């Protein structure tokens, strides 16, 4: 590939316009084609701001785990670049990974060891971990994920949810700048999901950037400040969650006993996709001051009982952008 600029010979390839010192994960045209020819990730440009809880959302098979494995240096991209904490992966894997807590698709556990012994073993594999404080570190991590009572049980007797939490505990042994969690609530019951969400919020409030993947839309909406939506290996959209949903398809909703007149006036005011359902008229908000739109209704004699914007959900955004329903069940 022809490179005109040689401005950054030491820092590796540039990472796109949004990448800066406050970007903890930045990819550019990141692509993975598996040997069988499967294009799992296709030209991905991702920018994860420091301090965000970043939801990496997409149906099963959309390329989330493959992306995460490239970010963590576990597999090589076919093309494109990935930077994590400012360093190029997989080249800087050795320096970057100690600063990242990761839970990737079914943590590798020793079934014949207890939960606690799994963590002790995991901790001792970390050359930066002080052996004198190992037991305390492990106890704190077990406590944080609610596994203290089950710590002496063999991991093979754990439920899927408990295994998931044990994997999370392993990621929490050390304070990290970045946590990468691949479907952390997979296999958890609603109570377990709530616990993980509050844990994620807690970690984020300590300043840790959390990058988590999920195929569950509402989960992302509940916990994430930012999100990227994937479909078939491609990035559909990314940004602050509030903007993604609102920008996608906010609806202007007018409630009135005069829906016919209201629809006419609203069309004159520039509202698109006007739909009348009994006493409700909805449509895409016109690109003008909504106070004027409301005034126009009133001066045309329309009796306005309700007038407001209904926030679109991320699901609306996904459907609008892909023309497909989001497969909630995965
Ligand atoms: N090792 C592999 N070899 C071949 N194809 C793979 C491999 N891993 C994943 N895939 C394929 O790549 C696509 C994306 O998979 P994945 O990244 O696991 O998606 P997600 O995590 O979003 O469910 C899927 O079609 C999957 O079958
Ligand atoms: Mg996956």
């Amino acid at each position: 590939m022809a490179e005109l600029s040689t401005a950054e010979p030491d820092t590796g390839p540039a990472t796109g316009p949004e990448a800066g010192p406050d970007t903890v994960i930045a990819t550019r045209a990141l692509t993975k084609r598996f040997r069988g020819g499967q294009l799992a990730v296709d030209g991905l440009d991702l920018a994860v701001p420091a301090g965000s809880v970043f939801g990496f959302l997409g149906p099963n098979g959309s390329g989330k785990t493959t992306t995460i494995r490239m970010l963590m240096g576990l597999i090589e991209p076919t093309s494109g670049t990935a930077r994590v904490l400012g360093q190029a992966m997989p080249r800087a894997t050795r320096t970057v990974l100690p600063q990242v807590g990761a839970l990737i698709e079914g943590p590798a556990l020793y079934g014949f060891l207890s939960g606690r012994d799994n963590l002790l073993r995991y901790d001792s594999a970390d050359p930066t971990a002080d052996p004198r404080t190992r037991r305390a570190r492990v106890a704190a991590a077990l406590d944080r994920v609610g596994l203290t009572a089950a710590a002496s049980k063999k991991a093979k007797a754990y439920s899927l949810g408990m295994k998931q939490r044990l994997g999370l505990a392993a990621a929490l042994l050390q304070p990290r700048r970045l946590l990468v969690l691949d479907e952390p609530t997979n296999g958890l019951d609603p109570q377990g999901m709530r616990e993980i969400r509050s844990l994620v919020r807690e970690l984020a409030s300590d300043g840790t950037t959390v990058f988590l993947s999920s195929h569950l839309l509402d989960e992302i909406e509940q916990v994430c400040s930012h999100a990227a939506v994937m479909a078939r290996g491609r990035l559909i959209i990314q940004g602050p969650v509030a903007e993604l949903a609102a920008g996608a398809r906010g609806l202007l909703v007018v409630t009135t006993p005069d829906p016919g007149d209201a629809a006419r006036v609203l069309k004159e005011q520039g509202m698109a996709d006007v739909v009348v359902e009994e006493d409700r008229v909805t449509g895409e908000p016109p690109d003008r001051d909504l106070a004027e739109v409301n005034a126009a209704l009133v001066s045309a004699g329309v009796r306005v009982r309700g007038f407001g914007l209904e926030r679109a959900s991320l699901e609306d955004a996904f459907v609008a952008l892909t023309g497909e329903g989001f497969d909630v069940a995965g």
Side-chain angles (χ1 to χ4, degrees), residues 66-195:
T66 303
T67 300
I68 288 173
R69 294 177 67 203
M70 288 192 280
L71 292 174
M72 297 293 95
L74 298 171
I75 53 173
E76 295 252 7
T78 306
S79 60
T81 60
R83 297 178 78 86
V84 176
L85 297 173
Q87 306 211 56
M89 299 297 280
R91 202 170 64 207
T93 301
R94 277 160 178 269
T95 49
V96 170
L97 283 199
Q99 303 175 67
V100 179
L103 170 66
I104 302 175
E105 216 172 59
L109 299 171
Y110 293 102
F112 60 91
L113 292 180
S114 70
R116 180 186 293 109
D117 287 344
N118 265 286
L119 291 186
L120 288 169
R121 191 171 176 138
Y122 196 92
D123 193 79
S124 54
D126 177 352
T128 68
D130 182 350
R132 290 167 299 180
T133 48
R134 182 156 294 144
R135 292 217 150 249
R137 216 164 26 247
V138 166
L142 286 165
D143 183 53
R144 215 152 187 199
V145 299
L147 279 181
T148 301
S152 304
K153 254 196 193 177
K154 286 195 166 135
K156 67 181 171 199
Y158 278 13
S159 68
L160 183 56
M162 290 163 84
K163 285 179 183 158
Q164 197 74 350
R165 283 192 273 161
L166 188 60
L168 195 54
L172 296 175
L173 283 167
Q174 296 280 346
R176 314 282 191 182
R177 288 175 66 193
L178 171 65
L179 271 182
V180 175
L181 310 176
D182 192 14
E183 307 256 6
T185 60
N186 234 6
L188 300 189
D189 58 16
Q191 172 61 19
M193 288 176 143
R194 269 195 295 280
E195 282 167 19

Side-chain angles (χ1 to χ4, degrees), residues 21 35 77 88 148 175 189 247-248 256-257 261 282 288 329:
R35 246 177 238 116
T148 301
D189 58 16
T256 170
D261 289 340
T282 60
R288 56 183 305 186

